[in-house]
Amino acid sequence: MSVTQFPLTLRVTVSGATPDEIKENAMAEAHAFFGPGAELNVISADAESEGEQHHSYRATVAFRRIG
């Protein structure tokens, strides 16, 4: 029996006040899904203001596991 492999892209939406906070929150979500030791590529990341909340941003980040 053969095993079909294909790349899986995970998109997470997180909030944060700074780019570093957004990155940390997104990586935590991706490692929760793929596993704590997984090597990941960021495919894309889009951030926008959360509107009325000053200094708060929402970002959607797409990850793909390496290997």
Side-chain angles (χ1 to χ4, degrees):
M1 179 164 69
S2 68
V3 176
T4 303
Q5 294 186 5
F6 57 91
L8 181 63
T9 300
L10 172 70
R11 284 182 176 74
V12 299
T13 302
V14 297
S15 294
T18 65
D20 287 337
E21 188 176 335
I22 288 171
K23 180 181 176 182
E24 182 179 317
N25 293 342
M27 291 298 290
E29 291 286 326
H31 280 124
F33 181 79
F34 286 112
E39 287 187 72
L40 303 170
N41 270 344
V42 174
I43 305 301
S44 67
D46 295 310
E48 61 186 24
S49 175
E50 286 195 295
E52 296 179 14
Q53 295 181 346
H54 298 288
H55 307 293
S56 184
Y57 301 90
R58 177 178 45 243
T60 300
V61 184
F63 292 93
R64 190 168 291 154
R65 187 177 191 163
I66 298 172

